[in-house]
Amino acid sequence: MKILVCIKQVPDMESRFRPDASGVWYSEIDMAFRVNEYDEYAIEEAVRLKEKLGGEPELTVLSLGPDRVVEGIKKALAMGCDRGMHVQDSASQLKDPWQIASAIAASARGENYDLIFTGLQSQDRGSAQVGTMVAELLEYSCATTAIGFEYADGSVTVKRELEGGLRAVVRLKTPALVTCQLGLNQPRYPTLPNIMKAKKKEILTIPVSELLHEEPRTVMAGFYAPAKKGTGVVLEGDVADQVDKLIGILKDKTGLLR
């Protein structure tokens, strides 16, 4: 059995985002990067399945991006993946979801993966399109927003999160692709021994030019922060004074109190 996990390295969401010189993406100056949170759930679910099946599956982790994404691959290897694949692309921020999915599908085609795990979406772009596009390109069955996962006898059962707090259960034959939602599991922290073992694991590097031959379907036109609409009001004094001031503001500025 062969399993692929697709991950992305994204900025820490506590970072201060500023447009870059081109004005179509953010500047990476002084940015700290980490594995996309949704993708950590995908890694954990794949590793759990490997452990459940007695370590038999071969587990590959793939990331597309510049050289810095290797750190994310190493974390996945330390969490339990067997080998890494770095699709090297110094301009990955200019690729649209169609191009990224096409490159991933090209790398996976012919590898005969039984299962592919991805995060539901990336925290920086948030398109939630790459996973489903990969499934379509590879002609895999697909289930999205997974908050529960089971594998048995060549098929998977996925509990999906729907709108309004609803849930759905679907069953898919492998080969299949599953996109992972927050709450699917509790991602583990890599232990020091596993971090040391990860240093000896293979990371294959492939230039994106060898995989990608598709033009973008969408082009980023601009990246900017919304205009500030005003400043907040800080209430000072003891609690009673603050309550009186708050009531006065609500009467004067809103229709909540008459």
Side-chain angles (χ1 to χ4, degrees), residues 175-196:
L177 183 148
V178 177
T179 75
C180 302
Q181 170 67 299
L182 306 182
L184 172 61
N185 51 50
Q186 182 60 51
R188 68 193 68 190
Y189 289 100
T191 63
L192 182 57
N194 287 337
I195 291 173
M196 299 306 293

Side-chain angles (χ1 to χ4, degrees), residues 82-144:
D82 299 309
R83 58 191 291 267
M85 184 181 301
H86 174 206
V87 180
Q88 194 172 41
D89 183 5
S90 60
S92 58
Q93 76 277 11
L94 301 179
K95 304 293 188 299
D96 73 342
W98 167 250
Q99 290 179 299
I100 294 170
S102 297
I104 293 172
S107 72
R109 197 170 284 116
E111 293 291 334
N112 298 317
Y113 292 112
D114 298 280
L115 281 168
I116 299 177
F117 290 94
T118 75
L120 168 64
Q121 61 184 0
S122 62
Q123 290 174 284
D124 56 355
R125 192 182 295 269
S127 71
Q129 297 178 33
V130 172
T132 52
M133 286 182 177
V134 171
E136 178 67 18
L137 288 166
L138 294 176
E139 298 183 350
Y140 278 29
S141 54
C142 180
T144 59

Side-chain angles (χ1 to χ4, degrees), residues 45-57:
E45 199 61 36
V47 173
R48 288 189 183 192
L49 179 58
K50 177 180 174 68
E51 293 171 343
K52 180 181 177 181
L53 298 178
E56 177 268 331

Side-chain angles (χ1 to χ4, degrees), residues 2-72:
K2 298 179 70 175
I3 302 172
L4 175 67
V5 183
C6 301
I7 68 172
K8 183 178 183 180
Q9 193 184 52
V10 298
D12 187 297
M13 293 298 110
E14 298 299 320
S15 302
R16 182 180 177 184
F17 289 84
R18 296 182 294 269
D20 60 14
S22 68
V24 297
W25 201 230
Y26 53 79
S27 171
E28 294 191 5
I29 297 175
D30 298 327
M31 282 280 190
F33 288 86
R34 54 161 293 172
V35 175
N36 181 54
E37 186 176 6
Y38 294 91
D39 300 345
E40 290 184 340
Y41 290 87
I43 298 168
E44 177 65 25
E45 199 61 36
V47 173
R48 288 189 183 192
L49 179 58
K50 177 180 174 68
E51 293 171 343
K52 180 181 177 181
L53 298 178
E56 177 268 331
E58 180 187 66
L59 184 47
T60 300
V61 57
L62 177 150
S63 187
L64 183 150
D67 291 343
R68 59 172 166 74
V69 308
V70 172
E71 289 305 312

Side-chain angles (χ1 to χ4, degrees), residues 197-245:
K197 290 178 184 178
K199 294 181 178 181
K200 299 179 181 180
K201 294 181 179 180
E202 173 192 17
I203 299 179
L204 176 66
T205 300
I206 305 174
V208 70
S209 58
E210 294 185 10
L211 301 172
L212 181 60
H213 307 288
E214 298 287 339
E215 293 298 318
R217 303 291 178 92
T218 58
V219 177
M220 185 73 76
F223 178 88
Y224 58 93
K228 293 183 179 180
K229 296 183 179 180
T231 58
V233 176
V234 178
L235 302 180
E236 298 179 343
D238 60 34
V239 175
D241 289 339
Q242 292 183 45
V243 171
D244 290 338
K245 291 176 183 177

